[in-house]
């Protein structure tokens, strides 16, 4: 688990990738009591973000934000060029339904791509097309890369997984029926198979009659340890007056890092001590 397995149909000019997340997905959800429908959306989005990050031509940090005005207001997944994955969801009120339109209402997808050397991240807004995470991202991929793509996603409380196929430019020249054939085979995969079968077993079961070149798998991780000093520096930047106002209202200062899934608490004495102790030298 926690890997991306890329592969190529050598005789067809069709590429693919399979991502399977276990411990990483459970870490992202740690101490978060997401309703099942929200959990499924976020897990599927984690899987497809990892796939896209693992296939970037120019490696960088990629962030997808899916926002709307429904009971689910925000889904965010962030993945670094080393496939370090994190994310969170925000929802309020009763969760009714499972489709994108039922849960998010009208919404949009924001892509941010931060590549080393760029002065600022590239950003692009994409209208939501489709009623599932798979459909939304199929539309995004076809618009951004001008090539047919297919996604099959699944997520539960323990695992998240995704299968990706993309038709490359020479596919019809190599085999006019190839894309239709492998797409049809991929459509037979079940959520249970995606979530439970070993990658090599699943690919063999689906495509045993095709010639696959399977590349070395890439590990996916969730490695964002708490950084209290960074939060302390942020609070210092707010200034003593703002901190005193927070203490007057709440008796303590609480900072939630939703993306990395950490909460930081500062008692009144700890918060005031931030301004009595010189900040550490940064090297």
């Amino acid at each position: 688990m926690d890997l991306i397995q890329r592969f190529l149909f050598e005789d067809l000019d069709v590429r693919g990738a399979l991502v399977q997340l276990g411990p990483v997905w459970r870490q992202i959800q740690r101490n978060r009591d997401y309703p099942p429908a929200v959990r499924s959306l976020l897990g599927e989005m984690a899987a497809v973000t990892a796939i896209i990050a693992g296939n970037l031509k120019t490696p960088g940090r990629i962030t997808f934000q899916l926002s709307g005005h429904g009971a689910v207001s925000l889904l965010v997944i962030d993945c670094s060029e080393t496939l370090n994955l994190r994310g969170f969801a925000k929802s309020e009120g009763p969760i009714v339904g499972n489709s994108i339109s039922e849960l998010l209402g009208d919404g949009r997808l924001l892509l941010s791509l931060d590549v080393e050397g760029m002065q600022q991240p590239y950003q692009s807004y994409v209208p939501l097309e489709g009623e599932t995470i798979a459909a939304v991202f199929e539309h995004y991929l076809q618009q951004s890369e001008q090539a047919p793509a297919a996604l099959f996603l699944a997520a539960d409380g323990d695992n998240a997984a995704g299968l990706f196929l993309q038709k490359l430019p020479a596919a019809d020249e190599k085999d006019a029926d190839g894309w239709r054939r492998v797409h049809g085979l991929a459509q037979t995969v079940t959520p249970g198979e995606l979530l439970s079968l070993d990658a090599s077993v699943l690919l063999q079961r689906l495509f045993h009659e095709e010639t696959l070149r399977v590349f070395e798998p890439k590990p996916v991780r969730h490695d964002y340890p708490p950084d209290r000093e960074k939060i302390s520096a942020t609070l210092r930047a707010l200034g003593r007056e703002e901190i005193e106002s927070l203490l007057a209202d709440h008796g303590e200062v609480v900072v939630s890092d939703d993306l990395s899934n950490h909460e930081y608490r500062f008692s009144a004495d700890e918060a005031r001590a931030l301004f009595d102790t010189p900040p550490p030298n940064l090297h």
Side-chain angles (χ1 to χ4, degrees):
M1 280 295 189
D2 296 330
L3 58 82
I4 297 175
Q5 180 69 74
R6 295 170 56 244
F7 55 91
L8 177 70
F9 295 87
E10 292 198 274
D11 298 333
L12 307 179
D13 207 31
V14 173
R15 69 171 178 166
L18 175 66
V19 63
Q20 295 180 313
L21 306 175
V24 161
W25 171 227
R26 293 190 286 275
Q27 277 292 103
I28 290 173
Q29 299 177 81
R30 180 179 53 84
N31 298 328
R32 291 167 163 170
D33 189 21
Y34 291 132
V38 177
R39 183 185 65 203
S40 293
L41 287 180
L42 189 66
E44 291 178 2
M45 193 163 154
V48 71
T49 302
I51 288 172
I52 293 172
N55 280 289
L56 287 175
K57 295 177 182 177
T58 303
R61 177 179 296 280
I62 191 167
T63 305
F64 284 108
Q65 297 184 44
L66 191 54
S67 59
H69 297 90
V72 179
S73 59
L74 186 65
L75 300 164
V76 180
I77 295 291
D78 174 273
C79 192
S80 74
E81 62 185 74
T82 60
L83 301 181
N84 197 7
L85 193 68
R86 58 183 174 170
F88 71 100
K90 284 187 177 181
S91 61
E92 295 181 3
I95 303 298
V96 179
N98 294 288
S99 69
I100 294 291
S101 60
E102 290 173 319
L103 295 173
L104 281 94
D106 62 319
R108 61 183 183 177
L109 177 67
L110 170 63
L111 157 71
S112 297
L113 178 60
D114 191 359
V115 176
E116 186 176 355
M118 294 175 62
Q119 291 187 343
Q120 58 185 14
Y122 165 81
Q123 291 191 326
S124 175
Y125 284 101
V126 182
L128 295 190
E129 297 284 346
E131 289 296 323
T132 65
I133 294 293
V136 167
F137 278 86
E138 279 182 2
H139 174 75
Y140 159 75
L141 288 166
Q142 289 173 3
Q143 292 295 311
S144 63
E145 300 192 14
Q146 300 297 306
L151 282 165
F152 306 90
L153 305 172
D156 59 19
D158 294 318
N159 301 294
L163 175 65
F164 161 73
L165 297 177
Q166 188 171 51
K167 182 181 179 182
L168 299 175
D172 288 338
E173 297 175 15
K174 287 194 172 184
D175 187 332
D177 188 54
W179 171 251
R180 184 202 62 79
R181 188 170 65 251
V182 297
H183 185 240
L185 292 170
Q187 287 178 311
T188 67
V189 72
T190 67
E193 290 173 332
L194 276 175
L195 295 172
S196 65
L197 291 181
D198 180 80
S200 60
V201 173
L202 181 57
L203 293 177
Q204 173 64 20
R205 179 174 295 189
L206 290 174
F207 308 118
H208 63 276
E209 294 184 355
E210 304 294 336
T211 302
L212 279 185
R213 185 201 305 177
V214 179
F215 300 98
E216 191 71 22
K218 296 179 180 179
V220 183
R221 59 198 179 98
H222 175 76
D223 183 18
Y224 291 95
D227 189 346
R228 192 173 177 87
E229 186 49 50
K230 179 180 178 181
I231 301 302
S232 296
T234 300
L235 296 180
R236 289 189 190 96
L238 288 176
R240 186 185 292 269
E241 184 176 344
E242 180 66 22
I243 297 304
E244 289 292 349
S245 176
L246 291 171
L247 292 174
D249 290 341
H250 306 288
E252 63 177 347
V253 177
V254 180
V255 179
S256 294
D257 181 353
D258 290 327
L259 198 55
S260 297
N261 198 5
H262 297 301
E263 183 178 82
Y264 302 87
R265 290 182 175 272
F266 293 78
S267 68
D269 288 343
E270 289 171 329
R272 292 187 175 110
L274 295 174
F275 300 93
D276 299 330
T277 305
N281 291 324
L282 299 180
H283 299 285

